[in-house]
Amino acid sequence: MVARAREENVVLELRDVSKTVSGERHISDVSLKLEAGSLNVLLGPTLAGKTSLMRLMAGLDQPTAGTVHMDGADVTGVPVQKRSVAMVYQQFINYPSMSVYENIASPLRVAGRDRATIDREVKKAAELLRLEPFLDRLPLELSGGQQQRTALARAIVKNARLVLLDEPLANLDYKLREELRAELPRIFSESGAIFIYATTEPSEALLLGGKTATLSEGRVTQFGQTIEVFRNPLDLLTARTFSDPPLNTIEVRKDRDRFLLEGTTGLPVPAALSGLRDADYTLGFRPHHLSLAPRGQSSISLDARVTVTEVTGSESFVHLDYAGNQWVMLEEGVHRLSGGERIPVHLDTRHVLVFDKAGRSAAPDLAKAA
Amino acid sequence: MNRTWNNKAWFMVLPVLALVAFSAVIPLMTVVNYSVQDTFGNNVFFWVGTEWFEEVLHSDRFWAAMGRNLAFSAIILAIEVPLGIFIALNMPRKGWGVPVCLVLMALPLLIPFNVVGTIWQVFGRIDIGLLGRGLYILGVDYNYVRDPVDAWVTIILMDVWHWTSLVVLLSYAGLVSIPDAYYQAARIDGASRWAVFRYIQLPKMNRVLLIAILLRFMDSFMIYTEPFVVTGGGPGNTTTFLSIDLVKLAIGEFNLGEAAAMSIIYFLVILAMSWVFYTVMTNYGTEKR
């Protein structure tokens, strides 16, 4: 890891940034430190504030409160064209009357580079994004994927320090999305830029890796290594944001060795959670931690009613009702369970997340108790 | 293949066919009929072939009127299109100003042609008109009844006043349909105001501009009512456009054969020029490699 040393220095920093638009809070007290050469995912549902946050990072908007720092210098009031920023949007934004070549060259022309440099840079970017055969075409004569590649190439040649990608693959069809997503980290890895990628899809964040900041209603709920945020969410909101299909939850009261739940016999408290104080908790677990067959000692059996089953090619999403809680079970293979049927399902308790009444993770307390 | 023929369908089309025949085909054919015949009265017609067409095409009067038409269309396009785009660019995009501007812009379009003519005829009079009298008091020698240049200026001003709104409204529709992300991308690139116009707004507007230019060309090339009301084709023949000349020929001089031939030539010229405009403009931008 050559880039390791460079990653240590903070490059873009948001300090208590808020943005209010006509009385409505779009961004609330966001503080983030992003490092050079890092890949950062902004994960959150639509209207969580991903685009608003990106606009503040870029300098397209000014924050109502708080400051933005680049290399330690306050750049809050500096307009976007004076910062080193490149942005790619969900829509395919290219200059409609310019050829692909001219589109890619446009940031270099604005920067006043000489002909030879422009030609070399454009050819390099076109090769990287496999656009060479289309350089003479107009953007609208290309497929969606090629149009977005052109927009990405424009962002690359700019060689900006901050590269913002706002759901760049959302408007592409499945196959192209997979293909481009796999290429993106490779494409930008050499540049050493801070790379920020907004998405609504948890699976996309996991595939990209790097770090993830989960957003909910204008707040960053957690920021850390993507896999860490996924495995150990600090609160229920983060766990919910970072789960697709939705996180299964159940509200219980712990009474010594049992989790009590009205209308059921309750569940035994797994050994790992025995250190919890007796109180009300919300248990959360992901759909693939429910299964039809038990998975060893840590599994407990629950009697649930099937509401509906969705079968995709090789997986089945079984929607369940357990004492009034709506759950989803993700099971390998094709299972045609009919609605109304009562079946025993098995919960792997090793992966159960525990949150207190305020929605905070109980894991830190557990660690302290142990 | 076993097709079922439903002859009832033909009856359904019949009313439309009859309507089109009465409103378009039959009148047009009557004109064609007149254009190839002559008469010495008593409803006796005889075949003259292309004589009327030759006469029209060899007449200086026709070509002079044609020249005036071309000049008029060229001038008003050169003024109304840039002016219309300029106004559209400066119109508000949101807030209370939008409906106000749109209604103000639509107003001139709602006024009947002959009323527009009358308004300007009175407006420009040097004895009672606000414009004419005002200029007279300021010592400007303006008189559209006597001076050909003043007559042209008046008619052009009138047309700009009447029709620029159409270009504005169409351009505005084109502008508001551009997603905000384009402007953001341009800001990030550090593009100048001119570059945003040249590389984003203009290309995104070219479809509606094509329609605007086509409509304005066809309408201006057929102009009749307003100059007829304001100047009646004068002073002399200086504002006698093809349409005015045609009416003089057909109704004033009752020269139906020549007028018919002229109508057909006039119609074909408009058709041909519109086609050229359309072809050139649709190809521009799409086939440019």
Side-chain angles (χ1 to χ4, degrees), chain A residues 76-124:
Chain A
T76 314
V78 180
V80 62
Q81 57 269 28
K82 299 223 171 107
R83 302 191 195 178
S84 181
V85 176
M87 193 156 177
V88 176
Y89 302 83
Q90 181 178 345
Q91 304 104 310
F92 314 133
I93 305 293
N94 292 301
Y95 296 107
S97 62
M98 289 185 187
S99 66
V100 169
Y101 184 99
E102 283 304 319
N103 258 292
I104 301 175
S106 63
L108 300 170
R109 291 215 198 281
V110 172
R113 301 293 183 75
D114 62 88
R115 273 185 103 80
T117 316
I118 291 174
D119 194 61
R120 197 177 59 241
E121 292 293 317
V122 171
K123 294 269 165 63
K124 208 172 93 185

Side-chain angles (χ1 to χ4, degrees), chain A residues 126 140 169 251 342:
Chain A
L140 284 178
L169 309 180
E251 283 174 27
R342 295 203 77 89

Side-chain angles (χ1 to χ4, degrees), chain B residues 148-160:
Chain B
V149 175
D150 292 351
W152 269 76
V153 167
T154 310
I155 289 174
I156 287 166
L157 266 180
M158 175 175 64
D159 198 85
V160 167

Side-chain angles (χ1 to χ4, degrees), chain B:
Chain B
M1 281 250 287
N2 203 352
R3 269 201 202 167
T4 333
W5 287 96
N6 188 348
N7 287 323
K8 265 189 223 150
W10 290 105
F11 288 104
M12 303 289 203
V13 187
L14 216 57
V16 177
L17 213 67
L19 226 92
V20 172
F22 269 103
S23 64
V25 180
I26 293 174
L28 185 68
M29 283 306 125
T30 315
V31 172
V32 172
N33 199 26
Y34 277 130
S35 73
V36 291
Q37 299 190 60
D38 198 0
T39 180
F40 292 118
N42 296 333
N43 244 359
V44 183
F45 289 89
F46 54 91
W47 176 260
V48 293
T50 58
E51 269 177 41
W52 287 128
F53 288 91
E54 284 164 36
E55 194 161 329
V56 170
L57 292 174
H58 286 114
S59 110
D60 292 338
R61 179 178 155 182
F62 171 79
W63 288 112
M66 174 71 83
R68 284 189 284 271
N69 261 43
L70 289 172
F72 179 72
S73 289
I75 292 170
I76 67 111
L77 280 181
I79 297 173
E80 288 177 13
V81 173
L83 182 64
I85 294 173
F86 178 78
I87 294 174
L89 284 172
N90 288 293
M91 266 169 63
R93 298 287 162 77
K94 47 185 141 187
W96 57 269
V98 175
V100 172
C101 282
L102 288 179
V103 169
L104 279 179
M105 281 298 142
L107 272 181
L109 299 175
L110 301 175
I111 302 173
F113 297 15
N114 52 351
V115 175
V116 171
T118 311
I119 290 172
W120 281 81
Q121 202 263 347
V122 174
F123 190 44
R125 277 175 65 161
I126 52 165
D127 49 352
I128 54 166
L130 191 62
L131 176 73
R133 192 70 194 162
L135 287 174
Y136 178 78
I137 290 167
L138 289 174
V140 181
D141 183 20
Y142 165 86
N143 187 341
Y144 67 77
V145 183
R146 210 183 52 218
D147 188 311
V149 175
D150 292 351
W152 269 76
V153 167
T154 310
I155 289 174
I156 287 166
L157 266 180
M158 175 175 64
D159 198 85
V160 167
W161 178 84
H162 194 187
W163 287 112
T164 305
S165 297
L166 182 78
V167 184
V168 173
L169 293 179
L170 284 167
S171 305
Y172 186 70
L175 281 174
V176 292
S177 70
I178 303 174
D180 192 47
Y182 278 93
Y183 296 115
Q184 274 182 44
R187 269 175 71 192
I188 290 175
D189 281 358
S192 62
R193 185 73 197 80
W194 165 250
V196 170
F197 173 70
R198 169 69 186 80
Y199 296 111
I200 296 173
Q201 291 171 323
L202 202 56
K204 285 269 164 191
M205 271 197 295
N206 71 0
R207 290 269 143 191
V208 285
L209 276 182
L210 166 68
I211 293 168
I213 291 173
L214 257 180
L215 285 176
R216 281 319 298 134
F217 169 73
M218 288 193 297
D219 266 358
S220 63
F221 208 74
M222 294 188 283
I223 190 161
Y224 173 75
T225 317
E226 299 99 315
F228 179 77
V229 174
V230 176
T231 64
N237 271 334
T238 49
T239 57
T240 301
F241 297 108
L242 281 171
S243 56
I244 294 178
D245 205 25
L246 182 61
V247 173
K248 276 186 188 166
L249 198 62
I251 293 165
E253 301 165 22
F254 213 69
N255 199 343
L256 290 184
E258 193 176 343
M262 187 173 158
S263 307
I264 291 170
I265 294 169
Y266 191 10
F267 167 64
L268 290 177
V269 167
I270 292 178
L271 196 69
M273 292 196 62
S274 298
W275 179 77
V276 168
F277 260 98
Y278 185 79
T279 317
V280 168
M281 293 195 63
T282 43
N283 284 356
Y284 178 80
T286 52
E287 281 185 16
K288 202 177 67 176
R289 286 287 150 89

Side-chain angles (χ1 to χ4, degrees), chain A residues 3-283:
Chain A
R4 198 77 225 165
R6 211 171 36 180
E7 276 176 24
E8 296 306 319
N9 53 331
V10 173
V11 169
L12 180 75
E13 190 182 353
L14 305 185
R15 288 187 198 157
D16 302 317
V17 166
S18 294
K19 175 77 180 173
T20 311
V21 180
S22 48
E24 219 176 301
R25 277 230 145 172
H26 287 194
I27 296 295
S28 301
D29 300 319
V30 169
S31 294
L32 279 178
K33 289 179 182 179
L34 307 175
E35 295 152 355
S38 65
L39 166 56
N40 307 279
V41 180
L42 294 181
L43 175 67
T46 316
L47 293 178
K50 301 186 296 296
T51 303
S52 303
L53 193 56
M54 283 192 152
R55 292 177 60 105
L56 291 172
M57 286 172 170
L60 281 162
D61 286 336
Q62 301 307 320
T64 324
T67 50
V68 181
H69 300 257
M70 194 89 184
D71 296 325
D74 189 340
V75 293
T76 314
V78 180
V80 62
Q81 57 269 28
K82 299 223 171 107
R83 302 191 195 178
S84 181
V85 176
M87 193 156 177
V88 176
Y89 302 83
Q90 181 178 345
Q91 304 104 310
F92 314 133
I93 305 293
N94 292 301
Y95 296 107
S97 62
M98 289 185 187
S99 66
V100 169
Y101 184 99
E102 283 304 319
N103 258 292
I104 301 175
S106 63
L108 300 170
R109 291 215 198 281
V110 172
R113 301 293 183 75
D114 62 88
R115 273 185 103 80
T117 316
I118 291 174
D119 194 61
R120 197 177 59 241
E121 292 293 317
V122 171
K123 294 269 165 63
K124 208 172 93 185
E127 192 191 333
L128 192 64
L129 285 157
R130 289 186 260 122
L131 281 168
E132 292 133 307
F134 316 113
L135 283 175
D136 292 334
R137 301 238 197 128
L138 289 172
L140 284 178
E141 298 168 335
L142 302 177
S143 71
Q146 289 157 351
Q147 286 183 47
Q148 195 63 316
R149 279 170 198 277
T150 306
L152 284 166
R154 277 214 344 266
I156 289 170
V157 293
K158 206 174 171 196
N159 204 13
R161 305 215 41 212
L162 185 60
V163 179
L164 301 158
L165 306 176
D166 191 357
E167 297 186 51
L169 309 180
N171 282 4
L172 293 173
D173 61 58
Y174 178 76
K175 241 190 123 64
L176 276 167
R177 192 155 66 212
E178 299 285 285
E179 203 179 296
L180 259 181
R181 187 192 299 117
E183 289 175 29
L184 276 175
R186 172 181 68 87
I187 290 166
F188 285 93
S189 63
E190 290 169 22
S191 68
I194 309 169
F195 180 61
I196 299 162
Y197 188 106
T199 180
T200 56
E201 293 173 39
S203 58
E204 201 155 73
L206 287 167
L207 282 165
L208 286 166
K211 285 183 164 186
T212 290
T214 46
L215 258 86
S216 178
E217 292 174 355
R219 290 175 190 280
V220 170
T221 57
Q222 193 172 345
F223 179 54
Q225 295 296 327
T226 302
I227 196 71
E228 182 65 22
V229 176
F230 180 74
R231 285 207 183 126
N232 302 312
L234 290 178
D235 54 37
L236 191 55
L237 213 51
T238 306
R240 283 193 204 278
T241 307
F242 212 152
S243 187
D244 179 48
L247 188 78
N248 297 318
T249 56
I250 182 171
E251 283 174 27
V252 293
R253 167 177 290 270
K254 181 173 176 288
D255 185 12
R256 273 165 308 202
D257 61 343
R258 286 198 86 73
F259 282 129
L260 301 182
L261 178 67
E262 225 171 287
T264 69
T265 53
L267 355 159
V269 174
L273 300 179
S274 58
L276 285 175
R277 292 185 295 114
D278 284 3
D280 288 337
Y281 292 102
T282 301
L283 306 183

Side-chain angles (χ1 to χ4, degrees), chain A residues 325-342:
Chain A
N325 296 287
Q326 306 303 316
W327 290 349
V328 182
M329 172 171 69
L330 174 58
E331 187 75 14
E332 288 266 315
V334 177
H335 302 272
R336 300 203 184 276
L337 298 159
S338 42
E341 206 176 325
R342 295 203 77 89

